[in-house]
Amino acid sequence: MAAPLKKLTSIVQKASAKHTATVIFIHGLGDSGAGWAPVGEQLGEVLPHVKFIFPNAPSMPVTLNYGMKMPSWYDIKELSSINQEQDEDGMLKSRQQLMQIVREEVEENGIPANRIVVGGFSQGCVMGLLTGLTSEYKFAGIVSFSGYMPLHNKIMNMATDANRKTPILWGHGDADQVVNYDYGVQSVELLKKNKFNVKFNTYRNMGHGSCPQEIRDLLAFLKETIPPTADAATA
């Protein structure tokens, strides 16, 4: 019998008003939840009803970085092509761990899945997509920043119909030196071809990172997908 998966640790920013929605945002390679926590603090000032969860990836050897151990959701062998071989086993293991967080929010904290936004940056974008597209839960939204499609040759066979109409916000810098901008373009084309509801924002001269406009776009997306509920507004 397989050992139970180790529960992920997370940086958690609690809602400052009545908690009625949750954002689970997944960091990139070599980072931690703390790397994106300041964004949660910034957004939380405008979205007091939202709890932000920033999971921490486990440490593992990464082939792309000469086998060095670092926080990573899965092994990366290369990023020279969108048709690269991907670490499916590693991705699916991390997906299970991330789904534990989703289930905890739904089953223990009483937040319906349609009040949860999942997503991430770079490697976290990949994991947010894998989690969102293959889940039986219908989420409020999916955020995809500076990443690429997971398991592109089979992801559409793995996808459920639950999030076929769920809004997906994709942001990518056209000067990205790590995850080629064209990978984002091709990934969005695949989503649109399969009738997913995706909006693609290009950020001019932005490298592999974020920018104030992208955060403003994220805020607008969250306001639209997980607005305050009537009882939260009066709490």
Side-chain angles (χ1 to χ4, degrees):
M1 184 176 175
L5 282 175
K6 187 176 180 181
K7 185 177 178 180
L8 296 171
T9 62
S10 299
I11 301 292
V12 178
Q13 180 187 314
K14 294 182 178 178
S16 58
K18 182 178 179 181
H19 175 209
T20 65
T22 297
V23 172
I24 301 168
F25 195 89
I26 308 159
H27 67 75
L29 178 67
D31 200 0
S32 70
W36 280 87
V39 174
E41 293 171 10
Q42 182 183 344
L43 297 174
E45 292 178 4
V46 188
L47 304 166
H49 61 289
V50 178
K51 172 184 179 181
F52 290 86
I53 300 176
F54 300 96
N56 295 307
S59 187
M60 66 174 68
V62 176
T63 303
L64 181 71
N65 290 336
Y66 308 102
M68 287 176 56
K69 288 189 74 171
M70 62 187 63
S72 185
W73 297 108
Y74 53 88
D75 189 24
I76 300 176
K77 292 184 170 58
E78 60 166 321
L79 284 172
S80 60
S81 167
I82 198 170
N83 295 315
Q84 62 181 298
E85 178 190 349
Q86 296 184 14
D87 176 17
E88 181 173 351
D89 289 345
M91 287 180 171
L92 293 178
K93 178 182 176 183
S94 288
R95 176 198 174 278
Q96 285 182 269
Q97 291 175 298
L98 292 165
M99 281 303 301
Q100 288 176 339
I101 297 175
V102 173
R103 279 191 290 273
E104 191 172 292
E105 285 302 290
V106 174
E107 296 170 9
E108 297 180 23
N109 297 324
I111 302 301
N114 65 5
R115 296 284 295 167
I116 296 174
V117 171
V118 298
F121 170 80
S122 192
Q123 198 187 44
C125 162
V126 178
M127 287 311 309
L129 282 164
L130 182 61
T131 302
L133 298 184
T134 62
S135 177
E136 295 294 341
Y137 286 117
K138 176 169 173 48
F139 294 115
I142 298 171
V143 177
S144 306
F145 286 165
S146 303
Y148 52 90
M149 188 65 68
L151 307 176
H152 55 280
N153 289 328
K154 61 165 67 175
I155 185 65
M156 290 307 160
N157 292 327
M158 299 168 65
T160 66
D161 286 331
N163 291 291
R164 188 77 57 172
K165 295 181 179 178
T166 298
I168 301 172
L169 175 66
W170 195 299
H172 214 119
D174 65 0
D176 195 322
Q177 72 281 23
V178 177
V179 178
N180 193 304
Y181 172 73
D182 287 338
Y183 297 176
V185 172
Q186 292 171 45
S187 297
V188 168
E189 286 174 353
L190 180 61
L191 286 166
K192 287 183 174 178
K193 179 182 175 183
N194 286 274
K195 307 295 190 244
F196 282 90
N197 178 17
V198 58
K199 180 183 180 185
F200 184 53
N201 290 336
T202 296
Y203 299 97
R204 298 296 174 197
N205 302 315
M206 186 177 86
H208 194 61
S210 191
C211 66
Q213 184 58 53
E214 187 174 55
I215 301 305
R216 286 192 289 270
D217 291 339
L218 173 59
L219 175 59
F221 181 75
L222 296 178
K223 281 182 172 180
E224 185 177 333
T225 53
I226 45 173
T229 57
D231 57 342
T234 58

